[in-house]
Each structure stands twice: as structure tokens, then as C-alpha cells.
Amino acid sequence: NGAVRVNMPNVDSPLQIFVRAKKKINDIFVEIDDYVKDAVTFMHAISGDKGIATPQDVANVEAYISKVQAIREVLKRDHMKVAFFGRTSNGKSTVINAMLHDKILPSGIGHTTNCFLQVEGSDTDEAFLRTDGSEEKLNVQSVSQLGHALCASRLQECSLVHVYWPRELCALLRDDVVLVDSPGVDVTPNLDTWIDQYCLDADVFVLVANAESTLMVTEKNFFHKVSTKISQPNIFILNNRWDASASEPEYLEQVRTQHANRCVDFLASELRVCTPKEAEDRIFFISAKEALLTRMREREKPVSSPIMAEGHQVRYFEFVDFERKFEECISKSAVRTKFAQHSRRGKNIAGDVMAALELVYNNATEQKTAKVEKQRILHEQLSAVEEQLTTITRQMKDKINRMVESVEHKVSLTLSQE
Ligand code: GDP
């Protein structure tokens, strides 16, 4: 049963690189949190009456509690983000649905996405919508309702709608992948704003092109802009609607080679985001429509149009191959961009707290040395006084002795005279 398969954790998936790294770094930050809290308790114990740590020392260390907390919050929400671009009706929504194994986003004639849709996992078993900047949750039960809700809310082209879908229903969502669908690059002049608002943190970009035509200037322009703002963006090109090639098998290889060469040229020579060899691994010829159909069938969902064109299996394998390469790329890239920075900060925090403790320790040692020194001086002073006393007493004794002697002498003299 397909549904069951989707629910099972896929330990072989390259996405696990990110999942495991995220777990590890979260665990490390739990330890850092404990360490900082221990340090604060210790600081309190040696401040106040004890007078070893000053209130400033305590406050310095205490400030790290909220810093660590803030990082832990960000870490919990960290995800892998993929953004899909292309001209209207090239099949972006269909690609996303096929990757999610379900018809989640509305697609097809009559519906064009005129805003950004961000599909992400929801921890509850409900699906709902939320527009950016609002806390209101709109429940959605079905795709048609989702489409209706999107039209009804009269969204602007540049707005973002979050679509929360139960994690347990899709492997990608469960492993923290967030998928962003965009309005067609042909419908807007606001490419710059889009990139700044929704793309700067994307780990992977997927250009959904139409295999029935060639790469368009508008599509190319968009990625030219992306590559000026992001250094070395990871770009995949899906030549979608490749099922159309089945009707002209005699040209299939020729057309494929032509498309592939142009795409390699675009990535490697025009954008210079990878080598020609790497570019070959970023270009795929697929049919999102067939892939979605195959998966809907696997999950025993009711689907129409059961007949698929010649070669659909090969196209499906290529789709699966794309997913694997995409998963590998996105998880590695996200680990690098998201976690490298956090682990550096974690290291700095641990170092800073240690330095603060060392400072207090050094102060305490200095205080102790000072006390010992004071005692030593006191002791020396006492010895001197003692010595003086001894001398004085000895002198007095002598004097008294001499006085007694002289008195005795005088008395004996007087007595003898009488
Ligand atoms: P978007 O505007 O880029 O999101 O495009 P959609 O996903 O809404 O797709 C537009 C239309 O193209 C829909 O009717 C899809 O069923 C159809 N479509 C998508 N992918 C394919 C494909 O691989 N082959 C064929 N023949 N049709 C497709």
C-alpha cells in the first residue's frame, strides 16, 4: 500500500543527512543550554555575600541563556527550502504535487497561481492555509477548496500563502522540506522583489521548463538575477511535458540532445554556476503529469485518464532519479548554509562562558593571594612589636635591677654609718 510506504521513515533517503545533522545540532544546543544554566547557578552561588563574582559578572553570563534559547528556536524551525520557477502552465504545481505524492496544489486550466504558495509540514493532522503576517488559519479539506480559498482571498502577486499539510502524509514534508510555488516568471515585472522576499534562503531552485519549446528569455533572465544575488545557487532544470515526445519518436533523441545542450550551456557557460559535467546531472526530462498519476494510483486514489503514452516508465524513472539527486543536493546545501553558522555561534558561546568563569576564578585567586599577603605583613608587624617588647622589657628589667642594687647599696651604706 502506497500510503503506508509514504508514512514509513525512509532511512536511505539523502534527506537524512539534514535530518540527522539537525538532530545532532539540536542535541548539542541542549547541552550548551545546560552548561550555561549551570554556570549561572554557580555565579549566583559565589556572588552577593561571598563577594567573589560581581553583579556584572552574573549578568554577563545570564545574558547567554536568552541567546541560546533564541538559537534553539531557530534550529527547531530550520528546514530545507526549494523554490520552483518557470512560465505559467509549464507544470510547476504538477511537479510539486508529484513530489508530494498527492494533489495538494491546485493546477490546470483556469487556475494560475498568482501568489507564492509555500507548502510545509503541519504537526496536526489538519490541513490549513495562512497568509503571511496573519495568524488566522483557514481550514482546507480538499484541493478544490484550496483553489477557491486562494481566489477568494484576492491575493496579490507578491504575497505569500503558507499551505500547511499533515507531515505524516508526505515523506518530504516529514523530513522538513518546504516547497515554494511561484507565479509564472512571465507574468510579473517584479523579479527583484520576489528574489529578495522569497528566494534568498532557498537551498535549491528548480526551473520547470517546457520540453515542447525552448528555454525562454524570461526564464533565463530570472536566473541571471538570482545568480547575481546568491553566490553559486543550486539550480535544477526539469524539461517537463516530455510525454509529448512519445508522439514523435523519430525525433526524440535529437530533440533531447538539443535541449540538453542548451541547458548545459545555460548553467555552465551563461550562469557559470557549475561545470558542464555537473550540469548534466542537473537536467532531467520528465512528465510531472504521469509521475503524479503513477503515484496517485500507487496510493489507490481515484484518478482519471488511465492510458499513458509510450515510454512513461522511463520518464518516471528519470523523475525518481531527479528526486534522488535533488534530495542529496538540498540536504547537503542546507546543512552547510544553516548549521555551519549555528555551530560557530555555539562554539563561541561555550568559549565566552568559559572565559567569564575563568575571569571570576582568576579574581578569586587574586583575592586569596592578597589576603595571604595581608596576613603575612600583619604577622611581620606583630613579630617586630614582639621584638620591641622583649627589648624594652629587658631594658626595664636591667634598670630595675640597677635601681634595686643602688637602693640596697645606699641602705647598707646608711646602716654601716649608723
Ligand atoms: P503551473 O502554472 O506551472 O503551475 O502549471 P500546472 O501544474 O498548473 O500545469 C498546467 C497544465 O499542464 C495542467 O493541465 C497540467 O495537468 C498540465 N501538465 C503538467 N505537467 C504535464 C506533463 O508533464 N505533461 C502533460 N501532457 N501535461 C502536463
Side-chain angles (χ1 to χ4, degrees):
N1 180 308
V4 174
R5 213 174 305 146
V6 167
N7 283 343
M8 291 202 308
N10 183 1
V11 286
D12 292 336
S13 160
L15 293 177
Q16 293 301 315
I17 300 170
F18 178 85
V19 174
R20 280 194 287 264
K22 180 169 171 177
K23 182 165 182 333
K24 211 170 192 172
I25 194 160
N26 272 291
D27 289 348
I28 291 172
F29 267 87
V30 170
E31 277 179 42
I32 295 180
D33 203 11
D34 284 348
Y35 169 59
V36 171
K37 282 177 182 154
D38 280 352
V40 169
T41 314
F42 175 69
M43 283 295 206
H44 276 293
I46 58 169
S47 66
D49 293 344
K50 298 271 185 347
I52 300 173
T54 65
Q56 188 56 49
D57 293 331
V58 182
N60 280 351
V61 178
E62 246 168 1
Y64 287 103
I65 293 186
S66 57
K67 279 184 195 159
V68 172
Q69 212 57 43
I71 297 175
R72 286 186 64 190
E73 281 305 311
V74 173
L75 272 175
K76 259 189 249 159
R77 278 184 280 113
D78 261 344
H79 53 237
M80 296 169 265
K81 184 166 164 182
V82 48
F84 294 82
F85 293 93
R87 286 166 52 83
T88 321
S89 293
N90 277 3
K92 295 179 295 293
S93 313
T94 313
V95 169
I96 295 177
N97 286 340
M99 289 174 82
L100 294 172
H101 293 241
D102 206 345
K103 279 190 180 168
I104 294 176
L105 296 182
S107 80
I109 304 151
H111 176 83
T112 45
T113 320
N114 60 356
C115 59
F116 278 83
L117 288 176
Q118 175 160 320
V119 190
E120 51 200 291
S122 124
D123 291 322
T124 65
D125 50 9
E126 283 169 301
F128 60 92
L129 288 186
R130 189 173 61 75
T131 45
D132 215 20
S134 141
E135 285 305 313
E136 195 193 352
K137 290 178 180 176
L138 290 165
N139 275 321
V140 272
Q141 255 91 48
S142 66
V143 183
S144 57
Q145 231 191 348
L146 176 64
H148 184 73
L150 290 174
C151 290
S153 46
R154 261 188 261 119
L155 293 154
Q156 285 175 352
E157 172 197 288
C158 231
S159 58
L160 176 68
V161 175
H162 296 264
V163 179
Y164 292 92
W165 203 259
R167 270 174 205 279
E168 285 317 309
L169 296 181
C170 305
L172 283 181
L173 299 183
R174 198 197 41 231
D175 286 344
D176 283 334
V177 176
V178 166
L179 304 96
V180 179
D181 193 6
S182 63
V185 284
D186 47 331
V187 300
T188 180
N190 301 327
L191 299 184
D192 274 302
T193 329
W194 279 14
I195 299 169
D196 292 344
Q197 286 188 311
Y198 308 117
C199 302
L200 293 180
D201 64 337
D203 300 292
V204 167
F205 294 87
V206 177
L207 166 58
V208 181
N210 186 349
E212 290 166 299
S213 63
T214 150
L215 273 189
M216 303 273 179
V217 177
T218 41
E219 291 166 324
K220 287 185 164 190
N221 275 349
F222 177 77
F223 284 96
H224 273 292
K225 290 216 159 151
V226 168
S227 68
T228 58
K229 298 189 186 225
I230 300 169
S231 75
Q232 301 293 317
N234 297 304
I235 304 171
F236 283 82
I237 300 180
L238 296 181
N239 290 288
N240 192 34
R241 296 172 170 267
W242 191 231
D243 48 315
S245 67
S247 58
E248 294 172 353
E250 62 276 29
Y251 298 118
L252 193 135
E253 275 315 309
Q254 195 189 334
V255 175
R256 185 182 170 124
T257 312
Q258 206 174 51
H259 277 316
N261 287 345
R262 286 196 180 138
C263 293
V264 169
D265 232 42
F266 177 54
L267 293 181
S269 313
E270 265 189 59
L271 294 180
R272 296 168 184 275
V273 291
C274 58
T275 64
K277 184 92 198 67
E278 286 164 341
E280 280 169 24
D281 272 344
R282 295 281 171 91
I283 295 156
F284 299 86
F285 291 79
I286 56 134
S287 166
K289 194 178 175 179
E290 289 174 348
L292 178 59
L293 253 168
T294 307
R295 289 184 169 172
M296 298 292 283
R297 279 188 193 158
E298 264 181 17
R299 298 181 76 174
E300 289 163 10
K301 296 245 178 174
V303 281
S304 56
S305 60
I307 302 160
M308 284 198 237
E310 184 73 20
H312 64 91
Q313 267 176 339
V314 178
R315 289 188 288 277
Y316 183 63
F317 288 147
E318 191 149 343
F319 188 80
V320 174
D321 187 30
F322 152 67
E323 287 181 309
R324 188 142 191 112
K325 300 228 166 77
F326 153 79
E327 290 180 3
E328 214 171 275
C329 176
I330 198 169
S331 62
K332 283 185 184 161
S333 160
V335 166
R336 220 178 15 248
T337 55
K338 313 240 146 87
F339 300 153
Q341 189 193 0
H342 291 314
S343 55
R344 242 190 332 267
R345 289 190 64 193
K347 231 163 124 178
N348 287 346
I349 290 175
D352 288 352
V353 171
M354 195 167 101
L357 289 175
E358 243 163 25
L359 193 78
V360 171
Y361 172 78
N362 289 344
N363 281 346
T365 318
E366 267 170 31
Q367 277 181 30
K368 193 174 145 194
T369 321
K371 262 188 192 157
V372 170
E373 178 65 10
K374 214 166 165 185
Q375 269 173 354
R376 194 184 60 77
I377 293 171
L378 215 73
H379 186 78
E380 270 179 11
Q381 283 172 347
L382 278 175
S383 305
V385 172
E386 214 173 68
E387 226 169 83
Q388 273 176 0
L389 272 176
T390 331
T391 324
I392 292 169
T393 349
R394 204 183 314 116
Q395 285 170 350
M396 284 196 41
K397 246 187 193 162
D398 287 350
K399 212 172 180 179
I400 292 169
N401 275 343
R402 274 199 302 279
M403 270 166 65
V404 171
E405 267 173 26
S406 107
V407 170
E408 266 178 359
H409 181 70
K410 279 180 188 158
V411 169
S412 64
L413 250 180
T414 322
L415 280 176
S416 68
Q417 279 170 1
E418 275 173 13

